[in-house]
Amino acid sequence: MTGTTPVRRRRPRRRPRLRRPAWTATLTWKAAVFITVMCCALAALLGALVHVSVTRQTVDQAREKALSRLEDVTEAYEAGEPMGRYGALDPQGLPSGLRALALRGQRGTVVSDVDGRPTMWAAGPADGRALAVRIDYTLSARTIMGLDRAIVGSSALAIGATLLAGAFSVTRVTRRLHLTAQVARRISAGDLDARVNDPRTKDPARCEDEVATVSGALDTMASTLQGKLLSEQRFTADVAHELRTPLTGLSAAAELLPPGRPSELVQDRVRRMRALTEDLLEISRLDAGRETVDLDIHELAPLTERVVRMARSTGSETDLLVVRATSVETDKRRLERVLGNLIANAHKHGAGPVVVAVDGPVVSVRDHGAGYPEYLLEHGPQRFRTESGGKGHGLGLTIAVGQAAVIGARLEFVNAPGGGALARLTLPEYVHLADRPDDGATASPETYDASPAAPVPDAGSRAAPDTDGGPAAVPGTDAGPGTDMQQAKSTDKRT
């Protein structure tokens, strides 16, 4: 038996839908379209009513005049008198429909063109023939045409005036809405003192509209949120201060215990409590926004190497890769704090090898563990939240993010494609004026380096629990120590 291979039918590709411009979604544009449509519909309706009414009145007047003249011509015809220049039997140019009506013994009127001029015809029976008269309808037609032009002009003027008035009114509303949205964004960014302060919410004698109601609700929410956050900050700071004194005495007492396993456990727990207390005090200072920075120009590679050596002194194996050295303007103490937290987090919640890479003003820390948790990638570090089985309290990365913001650096958290957590710290680079290339000149190799940077993994893997260390941004490469060195400049080094 022979079988037939089923033929797969390709589904037709859907053409990408064209996206409308962003301005079409604005309230001003929608209001303008609505006002325009309503004005056009109203103008068309009123114009049609006026046109029909005036046209009917004009035609009726012309018809009455024509029928009256037809009666005079009929009387003259019956009396054998001259009918004048407007009356005639079966005149040339009489519409065939009106002629047939007259031959059936009825009277009627119709408007038609005679030699290019509008003419009102009236006809009736006369001895088996059609007796007709005509009058000039040009003035009436001009009146109707003038009326139509007046209707169109006045409608356009009314639509324009309504649009201007509507745009002015809507713009006032949207301006207040934009102000409310701007204040909301400032509050989200941490400016808890931002308020809309709509005057309609301050004066009880003035009626509040919907925008004022939203503005008042936002101000109330901001005040409540600010009060709760300040209370939380005061509580954290007070608790940390109150714990510092007894912990200092407890630490001194623990040093006096006789050597042994119980003494080591007590001293270890005291050290952890003191570290937690110091972290709480640092977070309270960061929350208060009263931190001051001591900016200076520093070589980034030696500074990073110092932090790596400190990490190695605690038994944490950490590799250092310098792809391109540069100078940065930063606070040395705070930068060391950020890098130390990132490396500590990589060792505590990730897996080796932990690699720290310096590529110009970017320092990356990468481990080869399970990666950062999804909540951290989406919302950033959260204090007192950890998914590492209780191995941390979640303050390390929180402090790293806060200190990075203080020194003006950008800290990013991603997962490496080959697995592992990756934190990338971007600092403001400092370039000496003497090293800046002139127009048309070639860049100095010390300042502008075209050598390939160490590959950095993209986000996508599952995240490893984090809480204590900062985001580790490191080149995501599993190659041996010499791989990147062959591609880097001669000034690159691996420690």
Side-chain angles (χ1 to χ4, degrees):
M1 296 180 63
T2 59
T4 58
T5 303
V7 179
R8 293 184 178 179
R9 296 182 178 179
R10 293 185 179 180
R11 296 181 179 179
R13 294 183 178 179
R14 295 182 178 179
R15 294 183 178 179
R17 297 177 60 183
L18 297 178
R19 296 185 61 183
R20 295 184 301 175
W23 57 266
T24 59
T26 60
L27 182 60
T28 303
W29 184 84
K30 293 179 179 179
V33 171
F34 176 77
I35 292 174
T36 303
V37 171
M38 294 303 298
C39 287
C40 290
L42 183 60
L45 179 61
L46 293 178
L49 292 176
V50 173
H51 173 81
V52 170
S53 177
V54 174
T55 302
R56 181 178 299 174
Q57 183 178 1
T58 304
V59 171
D60 288 345
Q61 291 178 354
R63 180 181 291 113
E64 291 178 2
K65 183 178 180 181
L67 291 176
S68 175
R69 183 169 295 179
L70 178 62
E71 289 180 359
D72 296 340
V73 171
T74 302
E75 291 177 359
Y77 174 77
E78 292 176 351
E81 298 177 357
M83 293 181 291
R85 62 191 184 97
Y86 293 105
L89 287 172
D90 295 328
Q92 185 180 1
L94 179 66
S96 58
L98 185 59
R99 184 190 303 275
L101 182 66
L103 294 178
R104 291 198 300 268
Q106 298 178 358
R107 289 185 175 185
T109 59
V110 69
V111 177
S112 66
D113 287 340
V114 177
D115 298 332
R117 297 175 62 88
T119 302
M120 172 68 75
W121 290 91
D127 298 332
R129 302 174 67 183
L131 179 62
V133 296
R134 65 180 185 179
I135 60 175
D136 190 7
Y137 192 71
T138 304
L139 183 59
S140 299
R142 289 179 180 175
T143 302
I144 295 175
M145 293 177 61
L147 175 66
D148 292 341
R149 287 194 294 266
I151 291 175
V152 172
S154 60
S155 298
L157 182 60
I159 292 173
T162 306
L163 270 178
L164 291 177
F168 175 75
S169 302
V170 173
T171 303
R172 293 188 61 187
V173 175
T174 54
R175 188 184 300 116
R176 294 166 59 196
L177 289 175
H178 283 305
L179 176 61
T180 304
Q182 182 181 2
V183 171
R185 286 191 290 267
R186 289 172 56 190
I187 294 174
S188 301
D191 184 6
L192 298 181
D193 293 326
R195 297 292 185 275
V196 181
N197 291 327
D198 195 313
R200 294 168 181 79
T201 61
K202 303 298 181 181
D203 188 0
R206 301 182 64 178
C207 297
E208 294 186 5
D209 57 6
E210 288 78 2
V211 180
T213 302
V214 173
S215 302
L218 179 63
D219 288 347
T220 303
M221 181 199 69
S223 300
T224 305
L225 178 62
Q226 184 179 30
K228 290 183 178 180
L229 290 179
L230 291 178
S231 299
E232 179 183 344
Q233 293 173 11
R234 284 194 298 267
F235 175 77
T236 303
D238 293 344
V239 169
H241 279 291
E242 292 297 329
L243 288 176
R244 173 182 276 183
T245 301
L247 282 176
T248 302
L250 185 60
S251 177
E255 297 292 336
L256 301 178
L257 293 176
R261 182 58 179 169
S263 175
E264 294 177 359
L265 291 176
V266 170
Q267 293 176 5
D268 179 66
R269 296 301 182 269
V270 170
R271 281 194 296 269
R272 291 191 179 185
M273 285 291 294
R274 293 190 64 180
L276 176 59
T277 302
E278 295 299 328
D279 287 346
L280 289 175
L281 284 173
E282 187 170 357
I283 283 183
S284 66
R285 290 193 296 267
L286 290 173
D287 289 340
R290 300 174 181 173
E291 295 284 353
T292 57
V293 292
D294 182 15
L295 296 178
D296 201 352
I297 310 301
H298 299 280
E299 290 291 334
L300 185 57
L303 194 151
T304 306
E305 185 178 1
R306 167 190 166 94
V307 178
V308 171
R309 283 201 306 267
M310 294 174 59
R312 289 174 179 170
S313 66
T314 62
S316 302
E317 284 299 326
T318 306
D319 296 332
L320 174 63
L321 173 64
V322 179
V323 179
R324 179 170 69 91
T326 188
S327 299
V328 294
E329 185 176 10
T330 186
D331 188 321
K332 176 181 178 181
R333 180 182 64 84
R334 297 184 188 278
L335 177 59
E336 290 179 348
R337 174 68 161 157
V338 173
L339 295 179
N341 281 13
L342 295 180
I343 296 174
N345 183 80
H347 283 288
K348 179 177 291 187
H349 304 292
V354 175
V355 183
V356 180
V358 179
D359 186 3
V362 180
V363 182
S364 54
V365 181
R366 181 194 172 179
D367 62 58
H368 290 74
Y372 290 120
E374 293 298 330
Y375 81 85
L376 188 146
L377 296 176
E378 295 179 4
H379 308 291
Q382 300 178 19
R383 62 190 69 177
F384 298 110
R385 178 172 180 178
T386 177
E387 297 183 4
S388 57
K391 290 170 58 181
H393 45 68
L395 299 182
L397 292 187
T398 305
I399 293 175
V401 171
Q403 294 289 11
V406 171
I407 62 177
R410 185 176 73 253
L411 186 55
E412 301 171 291
F413 302 92
V414 296
N415 283 331
L422 178 66
R424 184 182 298 107
L425 181 68
T426 304
L427 297 159
E429 186 174 7
Y430 178 81
V431 181
H432 296 279
L433 292 177
D435 295 336
R436 291 182 180 176
D438 297 332
D439 295 340
T442 306
S444 170
E446 288 85 13
T447 306
Y448 299 89
D449 180 49
S451 60
V456 179
D458 298 330
S461 307
R462 288 187 58 189
D466 115 291
T467 332
D468 265 351
V474 203
T477 174
D478 296 331
T483 304
D484 291 327
M485 295 296 297
Q486 297 173 359
Q487 299 178 357
K489 294 173 47 180
S490 60
T491 57
D492 298 346
K493 61 181 179 178
R494 176 104 177 187
T495 305

